[in-house]
Amino acid sequence: MAVGRRWLSRTVAATLLVLASTALPAGPAAAVDPEPKFDFDLTSTTAPLGVEKKRIYLRFTNLTTDETPTAWQLDVGPTRLDPWQPATIEWPEPGNRSGECDGEPDRFYCFISASTNQGLIPGPGETVEIPLTMYIREKNEPYEDTFSVTVHAYWGDVRSPDVRKTFPIKVVDDAEADLSVIAPDVKQSVRIAADGKLEATGPLNPGETAAVRYRIVNQGRKAVSGVKVTLSLPEGTAFTQPPEECAVDEDGRSAVCTYDSLALVPVAEDTDPKDDIHSAVELHNLVTVPAATLAPVTFKGGTVQVEGLTEEVVAKSDRVRTKLPANAVAVPAADVDASDNQDGFSVVVAAPRSGGDDGGNGGGGELPITGAQTTLIAGIGLVLLAGGGLMLLLTRRRNRLPHA
């Protein structure tokens, strides 16, 4: 009887969610455009047994060259009703900007409006990322199922059609590392302050320097003893002052950076924010846009790909090490889910500023990944993030919403 009541409760909640999600036009009744003018994708939905949760990202891309949506909405839910699902995709945790979300934790929608979530509305050719959580309830048995994501957008008083995609969700018996990377679009110029930190100075203009930022997290069950990063910049940009760990090709747009002494432990082992054991790292590489660039323009096609390296690290004390000996070579580490080892980004160049106008985004402007000024060590291009602060959402158990 209890299961029956719970199933009924979830069925009613799902019905109410559908009704609610279809009643959110951005203003008066909107006409329907047959072309969606956007695309979206979601990767990294495989997790190893023994992990409680995994952070994933839904990427929403504006495919137009001259339009910006006024709002968009995503609906997420399992493809079948079941009173018990060993793994689910749930809405973002508190503290993450993701629009106005409602529904059940594992069957929900998020409505994102330009009036309240400007940073989550992509301009022409841009992509935004919405963080979601893959939550694993059953830790003893492998599991495989599917879930669906439906997205529509508003372009003024015109509504796009619904675009629905189905994605797999898997829990596998694979006790290896699981690296993921997220690289936001590059929109701001930066400068290196006297203390060596990067400061945002406003929209990126021709002739200015920006920073490609990317965050790497180990969400698996085994540590990696080094990280290899392969970067490719969009045509029209070039690397500036690459760190010594990076080898840049003659074209100035391709680089391989080998941080062979950078160890990343599983998130579950990153419990003390004051020690030197880390599960996540944020790196940056400086890039420059030529002064002759005709702006505004969006350069597309940048990619960041990461690969874990390993030397069979065992003792925790060995995970923060010096560089490899001259006669040693780090080899690729096994990865539970390689689908999230690469992310794309664009470089957005704004029209040149006139005089001292900085577009309202001066040195205190938001930085792409953290949403606030971030301390970076410009000399080597990385900052380690402890178990607290920014990565708290990955390393601490959240206050979960009750399930029906």
Side-chain angles (χ1 to χ4, degrees), residues 135-255:
Y135 187 78
I136 297 93
R137 306 177 190 176
E138 176 56 63
K139 300 181 181 179
N140 298 318
E141 295 291 337
Y143 174 73
E144 184 171 351
D145 208 335
T146 59
F147 68 99
S148 67
V149 180
T150 303
V151 175
H152 64 260
Y154 296 91
W155 310 80
D157 59 356
V158 177
R159 181 192 190 281
S160 78
D162 286 335
V163 178
R164 184 177 187 269
K165 295 184 180 182
T166 300
F167 300 96
I169 182 170
K170 298 180 181 180
V171 182
V172 296
D173 188 5
D174 190 354
E176 299 291 347
D178 186 9
L179 296 187
S180 61
V181 64
I182 188 75
D185 289 344
V186 179
K187 298 183 181 182
Q188 294 183 313
S189 61
V190 299
R191 65 187 175 197
I192 301 176
D195 58 3
K197 299 178 183 178
L198 284 187
E199 294 181 352
T201 59
L204 178 62
N205 292 143
E208 296 182 341
T209 296
V212 176
R213 304 174 188 272
Y214 45 101
R215 182 191 307 150
I216 307 169
V217 184
N218 184 359
Q219 303 190 77
R221 294 182 55 194
K222 184 179 290 186
V224 295
S225 58
V227 177
K228 177 182 175 181
V229 181
T230 303
L231 300 109
S232 177
L233 296 180
E235 187 174 356
T237 63
F239 286 109
T240 306
Q241 302 176 7
E244 63 180 11
E245 293 88 349
C246 298
V248 179
D249 286 354
E250 293 182 358
D251 62 6
R253 298 193 297 112
S254 304

Side-chain angles (χ1 to χ4, degrees), residues 72-396:
W72 64 284
Q73 179 174 314
L74 62 127
D75 295 68
V76 180
T79 52
R80 60 187 179 88
L81 283 176
D82 193 328
W84 173 255
Q85 292 165 320
T88 56
I89 304 300
E90 304 190 359
W91 64 12
E93 298 176 356
N96 286 286
R97 295 187 308 152
S98 53
E100 303 172 21
C101 298
D102 201 357
E104 290 286 298
D106 58 345
R107 185 179 294 272
F108 62 93
Y109 68 86
C110 294
F111 182 72
I112 302 162
S113 172
S115 61
T116 54
N117 298 100
Q118 186 61 48
L120 298 179
I121 300 294
E126 298 178 12
T127 298
V128 296
E129 289 91 5
I130 299 296
L132 303 174
T133 298
M134 178 178 173
Y135 187 78
I136 297 93
R137 306 177 190 176
E138 176 56 63
K139 300 181 181 179
N140 298 318
E141 295 291 337
Y143 174 73
E144 184 171 351
D145 208 335
T146 59
F147 68 99
S148 67
V149 180
T150 303
V151 175
H152 64 260
Y154 296 91
W155 310 80
D157 59 356
V158 177
R159 181 192 190 281
S160 78
D162 286 335
V163 178
R164 184 177 187 269
K165 295 184 180 182
T166 300
F167 300 96
I169 182 170
K170 298 180 181 180
V171 182
V172 296
D173 188 5
D174 190 354
E176 299 291 347
D178 186 9
L179 296 187
S180 61
V181 64
I182 188 75
D185 289 344
V186 179
K187 298 183 181 182
Q188 294 183 313
S189 61
V190 299
R191 65 187 175 197
I192 301 176
D195 58 3
K197 299 178 183 178
L198 284 187
E199 294 181 352
T201 59
L204 178 62
N205 292 143
E208 296 182 341
T209 296
V212 176
R213 304 174 188 272
Y214 45 101
R215 182 191 307 150
I216 307 169
V217 184
N218 184 359
Q219 303 190 77
R221 294 182 55 194
K222 184 179 290 186
V224 295
S225 58
V227 177
K228 177 182 175 181
V229 181
T230 303
L231 300 109
S232 177
L233 296 180
E235 187 174 356
T237 63
F239 286 109
T240 306
Q241 302 176 7
E244 63 180 11
E245 293 88 349
C246 298
V248 179
D249 286 354
E250 293 182 358
D251 62 6
R253 298 193 297 112
S254 304
V256 176
C257 304
T258 304
Y259 301 97
D260 52 15
S261 61
L262 173 59
L264 295 179
V265 303
V267 166
E269 297 180 19
D270 189 0
T271 57
D272 186 352
K274 297 181 180 180
D275 65 15
D276 56 1
I277 305 299
H278 307 283
S279 61
V281 63
E282 182 181 299
L283 300 99
H284 79 263
N285 289 80
L286 298 178
V287 300
T288 297
V289 177
T293 300
L294 298 178
V297 64
T298 297
F299 296 120
K300 304 177 184 179
T303 60
V304 178
Q305 183 172 349
V306 299
E307 180 181 294
L309 306 175
T310 183
E311 296 175 80
E312 296 298 326
V313 179
V314 178
K316 186 174 181 179
S317 60
D318 292 338
R319 290 177 182 156
V320 179
R321 308 165 296 109
T322 58
K323 291 185 177 181
L324 292 173
N327 63 338
V329 177
V331 297
D335 198 297
V336 172
D337 185 0
S339 68
D340 52 1
N341 287 29
Q342 178 172 308
D343 193 18
F345 64 90
S346 298
V347 177
V348 182
V349 186
R353 296 190 293 266
S354 59
D357 179 20
D358 64 359
N361 291 311
E366 292 188 352
L367 300 182
I369 290 185
T370 62
Q373 279 195 320
T374 306
T375 301
L376 299 178
I377 305 174
I380 61 175
L382 64 88
V383 56
L384 295 176
L385 304 176
L390 177 63
M391 299 313 300
L392 184 64
L393 54 93
L394 285 173
T395 58
R396 302 291 185 266

